[in-house]
Amino acid sequence: MDVKFPTLLCLTLLFSTILNPALSELCNPEDKKVLLQIKKAFNDPYVLTSWKPETDCCDWYCVTCDSTTNRINSLTIFSGQVSGQIPTQVGDLPYLETLEFHKQPNLTGPIQPSIAKLKRLKELRLSWTNISGSVPDFLSQLKNLTFLDLSFSNLTGSIPSSLSQLPNLNALHLDRNKLTGHIPKSFGEFHGSVPELYLSHNQLSGNIPTSLAKLDFNRIDFSRNKLEGDASMIFGLNKTTQIVDLSRNLLEFNLSNVEFSKSLTSLDLNHNKITGGIPVGLTQVDLQFLNVSYNRLCGQIPVGGKLQSFDSSTYFHNRCFCGAPLPSCK
């Protein structure tokens, strides 16, 4: 009798599990309820077909569960299509660390305010969408964010200065929107990590804040805006900056006096109003890419380093450049 009892117990549990799958389900019931509300808010799109009440939500497409807590920690929709606004219910997944809506042209409306409740969020990517409205100030409350990508959308208004309060941010993508106003002075005062800054293809104007001189950015892309004045504060001998793109702005400063760090691999300054000449220090930099065309530069191109390895398109349409790869100086 004692031998048979454990066998009987196992069989009972096995049949109970088959008859009632909820007993073996890993998914948290609250998370499942929220996800089904999100599916309904999106009008049951094909991409969320696997989201069925009778199945374990940890097995659903577009979501993942934490291996320890079994709570939903990732919601990523980057293939298939969803339509409408971001549902308010996304803010009711308290263990979410990654939230991504990518390449969703039918995703509209503002950035959902309930996202501010997601205190564990590390990655927020709302890119290649038709989201509109402003970049919300409440994003600065998400102190665990390491990656913020709001690129390729229809966002308008100014950049909130409070984003500099994100202490763990490694990359900020606000490129290819319709943002206006100045680059915040606070971007020279990031608390903690110094993020890569991608602000290109907007309508930003005014001067680049001098406060940026205080920080060591790995990558900066401010191209295709309406920025004016000086940009020399971005550079410096002791910085470890690798990639800088300031092309197609209205920048106007003397390049001759700028000191470049040896870490620089890519420098694009084309289509500005930059004067002076190329500093000899650039011969000491192992550049993989250089473009200073369409400026107001003059003088002989220094000989050495990588400067002669680029073709004439790197230097043309300036005031009075000469020397290889351009015609020799007279």
Side-chain angles (χ1 to χ4, degrees):
M1 187 72 178
D2 290 338
V3 178
K4 291 179 182 178
F5 181 72
T7 311
L8 240 134
L9 182 63
C10 288
L11 285 170
T12 307
L13 285 170
L14 177 65
F15 283 117
S16 300
T17 301
I18 294 168
L19 292 171
N20 186 4
L23 290 175
S24 64
E25 191 166 323
L26 296 174
C27 174
N28 179 276
E30 284 301 311
D31 288 349
K32 176 184 267 194
K33 178 182 173 185
V34 170
L35 289 172
L36 291 172
Q37 288 171 348
I38 291 171
K39 181 184 179 184
K40 185 179 179 182
F42 278 137
N43 295 315
D44 299 330
Y46 179 74
V47 70
L48 303 182
T49 302
S50 66
W51 293 19
K52 296 175 181 176
E54 66 274 13
T55 59
D56 189 338
C57 74
C58 288
D59 296 328
W60 291 356
Y61 186 56
C62 299
V63 295
T64 59
C65 285
D66 182 86
S67 57
T68 306
T69 64
N70 295 320
R71 299 300 298 262
I72 295 292
N73 63 4
S74 172
L75 170 57
T76 58
I77 301 178
F78 53 83
S79 61
Q81 295 295 317
V82 294
S83 299
Q85 300 192 13
I86 299 172
T88 58
Q89 291 89 347
V90 296
D92 296 327
L93 294 168
Y95 286 80
L96 213 58
E97 294 182 7
T98 300
L99 177 60
E100 177 177 342
F101 293 102
H102 178 59
K103 290 195 174 178
Q104 299 296 327
N106 298 319
L107 193 67
T108 57
I111 295 175
Q112 177 55 245
S114 66
I115 289 173
K117 296 193 287 182
L118 301 174
K119 302 303 183 186
R120 288 180 170 85
L121 205 62
K122 293 179 180 177
E123 295 187 19
L124 177 59
R125 187 181 193 188
L126 309 174
S127 56
W128 295 76
T129 71
N130 268 306
I131 285 174
S132 56
S134 62
V135 178
D137 194 58
F138 65 71
L139 293 175
S140 64
Q141 299 171 29
L142 304 174
K143 302 300 185 186
N144 287 308
L145 271 188
T146 61
F147 182 81
L148 176 57
D149 183 358
L150 306 177
S151 63
F152 289 86
S153 293
N154 287 315
L155 297 171
T156 54
S158 59
I159 300 172
S161 60
S162 59
L163 293 181
S164 66
Q165 296 168 18
L166 293 169
N168 298 298
L169 198 62
N170 295 322
L172 174 61
H173 290 262
L174 300 178
D175 44 309
R176 293 185 185 262
N177 280 286
K178 297 171 183 175
L179 300 173
T180 53
H182 296 187
I183 296 171
K185 290 179 182 178
S186 64
F187 276 21
E189 298 164 358
F190 273 94
H191 308 299
S193 298
V194 180
E196 298 180 352
L197 288 182
Y198 299 89
L199 308 180
S200 71
H201 294 77
N202 281 290
Q203 296 163 32
L204 300 172
S205 58
N207 292 342
I208 297 173
T210 55
S211 59
L212 267 62
K214 294 185 282 184
L215 294 186
D216 191 1
F217 294 91
N218 184 259
R219 293 185 180 210
I220 281 184
D221 187 355
F222 294 167
S223 63
R224 292 180 185 264
N225 280 288
K226 299 174 182 177
L227 299 170
E228 302 170 359
D230 190 15
S232 60
M233 80 292 291
I234 288 170
F235 307 101
L237 275 177
N238 297 322
K239 295 199 175 187
T240 59
T241 308
Q242 291 187 318
I243 297 173
V244 176
D245 189 349
L246 304 174
S247 61
R248 294 182 183 271
N249 278 287
L250 304 168
L251 297 168
E252 197 168 351
F253 62 98
N254 190 325
L255 191 64
S256 306
N257 304 321
V258 178
E259 294 183 316
F260 295 96
S261 68
K262 291 185 178 181
S263 60
L264 198 65
T265 61
S266 178
L267 177 63
D268 195 344
L269 302 174
N270 81 78
H271 285 84
N272 279 289
K273 301 177 181 180
I274 301 168
T275 57
I278 291 182
V280 176
L282 262 189
T283 61
Q284 304 299 312
V285 180
D286 189 21
L287 287 169
Q288 307 302 311
F289 178 84
L290 175 67
N291 192 345
V292 293
S293 64
Y294 292 91
N295 277 290
R296 299 172 182 178
L297 297 165
C298 200
Q300 182 169 356
I301 298 167
V303 176
K306 292 289 187 73
L307 297 185
Q308 277 66 48
S309 68
F310 303 109
D311 63 26
S312 60
S313 64
T314 291
Y315 302 104
F316 68 11
H317 287 277
N318 272 288
R319 186 162 282 165
C320 50
F321 258 159
C322 61
L326 299 179
S328 58
C329 300
K330 294 177 182 177

